[in-house]
Amino acid sequence: MPTADGTVLFDRSHTDDLIAYLSASPSPYHAVASAAARLEKAGFRQVAETEAWDGRPGGRYVVRGGALIAWYVPEGAGPETPFRIVGAHTDSPNLRVKPRPDTGAEGWRQIAVEIYGGVPLNTWLDRDLGLSGRLALRDGSTALVQLDEALLRVPQLAIHLDRQVNDGMKLDRQRHLTPVWGIGPVDEGALVEYVAGRAGIPAGEVTGWDLMVHDVQPPSYLGRDRELLAAPRLDNLLSVHAGTAALAAVAAAGGGSTVSVLAAFDHEETGSESDTGAQGPLLGNVLERSVFARGGSPEDRARSLAGTVCLSSDMGHAVHPNYGERHDPDHHPLPNGGPILKVNVNQRYSTDAVGRAVFTAACERAGVPWQSFVSNNAMPCGTTIGPITAARLGITTVDCGVAALSMHSARELCGADDPFLLAAALRGFLEG
């Protein structure tokens, strides 16, 4: 938070903790478990969707697959009290294991994978890859698995066999992205048997799996002055971590004048259309049940949502030094310049003038600088959970985030101070 003169003191311990969070969260399911553990430490308790909820003050959270919704009810909150929501997502583009994973060719054992989200395919070549995700068991339970070891690799074709590779690489998504993990004939069932064994579970108890590959190279500070952070899954676990830290800090201070919420969805990278995505009813159901648990009615719910604001926090683009012409000439966000306010008049981002005022007030309250981002008119603009949330719930929504390079790559790059600055701004928003 700001000092007496209004300036903010940088805190690299936040980024150190982000590094630990990223390392512990190679899949959305791990990201949720890691965030839940931080919330438990802050005094939050998990509630089941199948049970009745009470409306007493305090912190609670719901977990469904790769999604988490957490909220803190302050003392004196009524059923009509509005919410302040930080929205983010737990998934990242990667390679995911197919239902029949064991395959091979030319004497190599390989693992069949499906491409998840918008992946720059070449960034997954020649990397040491581990496996993570969850196993579904016969008794209906699930078990997390995280193998941080060099198990797989997608080998690139040698330049001797493709002399034109530097004139433009073209990768076939079906044929060229299949990782190798050994030599020999196809061994049906070997992958699941190996993963289950490493998890201490009999392979016969495994009836399903959601497994994915991850780069085993750990996150690290980068540059002469260590002012940059290179890491996997910054999009968008940086925002999930920042939102978790902000919510825990607000709860420790007794909350603000609203009910503070963290909504961390899955499947944003594929359109959010799932029971754990922003297109689904999960957040709306949680908000409604929170109102009703405090003795509210449908009228109170409508009044509450009318005053509710959401900050959709997702990674954005820093100006690229080698491709400056791809960016808007008057908007050049830089690392360590503070969080970015994302604007698109075609509603790919949901920010409007009212939202800008909310975001500005949050940054001023926290004493952090901020920047504006808008796309070059000649370039397509991505989107976020922001417009989805605004349309689904009918609430004021603002898009913000942290400026980065190499978005969606196996490893991304941002300023080492920006994670703390974003968390401070999110805390200022929740307290406001």
Side-chain angles (χ1 to χ4, degrees), residues 113-169:
V113 295
E114 192 172 4
I115 298 166
Y116 179 85
V119 178
L121 302 178
N122 64 298
T123 68
W124 288 91
L125 301 179
D126 294 332
R127 291 186 179 274
D128 296 338
L129 304 174
L131 280 167
S132 63
R134 65 178 179 176
L135 303 175
L137 309 182
R138 290 190 183 279
D139 62 4
S141 64
T142 59
L144 297 184
V145 60
Q146 179 174 348
L147 305 182
D148 291 321
E149 57 190 82
L151 287 174
L152 310 172
R153 187 179 180 91
V154 183
Q156 185 172 187
L157 185 64
I159 193 170
H160 311 76
L161 304 177
D162 184 7
R163 294 292 184 179
Q164 285 74 48
V165 64
N166 290 324
D167 298 326
M169 177 188 296

Side-chain angles (χ1 to χ4, degrees), residues 7-353:
T7 59
V8 69
L9 298 176
F10 293 115
D11 185 356
R12 282 286 175 87
S13 66
H14 177 91
T15 305
D16 293 339
D17 189 64
L18 170 61
I19 289 173
Y21 178 72
L22 292 169
S23 297
S25 307
S27 78
Y29 316 108
H30 290 83
V32 164
S34 299
R38 283 165 165 76
L39 291 172
E40 288 278 352
K41 188 175 181 180
F44 285 68
R45 62 181 179 86
Q46 184 174 0
V47 294
E49 293 183 77
T50 55
E51 297 176 356
W53 297 353
D54 67 69
R56 291 177 294 179
R60 298 166 183 79
Y61 68 92
V62 165
V63 169
R64 183 192 291 183
L68 176 147
I69 310 293
W71 65 102
Y72 184 84
V73 179
E75 292 283 352
E80 77 289 346
T81 299
F83 299 93
R84 285 223 160 186
I85 305 167
V86 171
H89 66 89
T90 60
D91 61 319
S92 302
N94 59 12
L95 309 178
R96 303 203 172 188
V97 177
K98 288 183 175 180
R100 295 187 62 184
D102 298 290
T103 188
E106 309 295 344
W108 292 86
R109 288 177 176 158
Q110 295 175 277
I111 300 301
V113 295
E114 192 172 4
I115 298 166
Y116 179 85
V119 178
L121 302 178
N122 64 298
T123 68
W124 288 91
L125 301 179
D126 294 332
R127 291 186 179 274
D128 296 338
L129 304 174
L131 280 167
S132 63
R134 65 178 179 176
L135 303 175
L137 309 182
R138 290 190 183 279
D139 62 4
S141 64
T142 59
L144 297 184
V145 60
Q146 179 174 348
L147 305 182
D148 291 321
E149 57 190 82
L151 287 174
L152 310 172
R153 187 179 180 91
V154 183
Q156 185 172 187
L157 185 64
I159 193 170
H160 311 76
L161 304 177
D162 184 7
R163 294 292 184 179
Q164 285 74 48
V165 64
N166 290 324
D167 298 326
M169 177 188 296
K170 184 173 178 59
L171 295 170
D172 184 285
R173 297 166 71 90
Q174 177 65 31
R175 295 186 296 121
H176 298 158
L177 272 295
T178 307
V180 301
W181 81 312
I183 302 171
V186 175
D187 189 3
E188 193 72 35
L191 178 72
V192 172
E193 182 177 358
Y194 180 83
V195 172
R198 291 297 307 277
I201 298 169
E205 293 300 309
V206 177
T207 57
W209 54 86
D210 296 303
L211 295 173
M212 57 206 72
V213 307
H214 64 272
D215 183 4
V216 299
Q217 182 181 357
S220 63
Y221 290 102
L222 183 141
R224 186 195 67 178
D225 299 321
R226 297 298 185 259
E227 59 190 337
L228 300 170
L229 174 65
R233 301 178 296 282
L234 291 175
D235 180 16
N236 188 32
L237 294 190
L238 186 156
S239 293
V240 176
H241 178 265
T244 303
L247 181 60
V250 169
S257 59
T258 61
V259 177
S260 299
V261 180
L262 169 65
F265 298 105
D266 199 355
H267 302 129
E268 188 272 349
E269 299 293 357
T270 56
S272 297
E273 292 185 345
S274 71
D275 68 318
T276 53
Q279 293 268 27
L282 181 58
L283 176 58
N285 287 347
V286 169
L287 299 183
E288 181 176 73
R289 292 184 66 178
S290 176
V291 169
F292 292 169
R294 282 175 273 134
S297 64
E299 175 72 11
D300 292 317
R301 175 188 179 275
R303 292 175 61 194
S304 174
L305 291 183
T308 292
V309 183
C310 174
L311 278 192
S312 165
S313 181
D314 204 345
M315 299 298 286
H317 301 292
V319 61
H320 198 299
N322 299 338
Y323 300 91
E325 73 282 358
R326 301 295 182 97
H327 300 265
D328 183 85
D330 299 315
H331 296 81
H332 280 183
L334 287 170
N336 296 329
I340 56 174
L341 179 67
K342 300 158 76 171
V343 178
N344 180 268
V345 296
N346 295 301
Q347 289 301 291
R348 300 293 286 173
Y349 304 132
S350 54
T351 307
D352 61 10

Side-chain angles (χ1 to χ4, degrees), residues 208 223 360:
T360 301

Side-chain angles (χ1 to χ4, degrees), residues 393-407:
L393 297 179
I395 60 177
T396 298
T397 305
V398 187
D399 272 292
C400 66
V402 162
L405 296 182
S406 305
M407 189 187 295

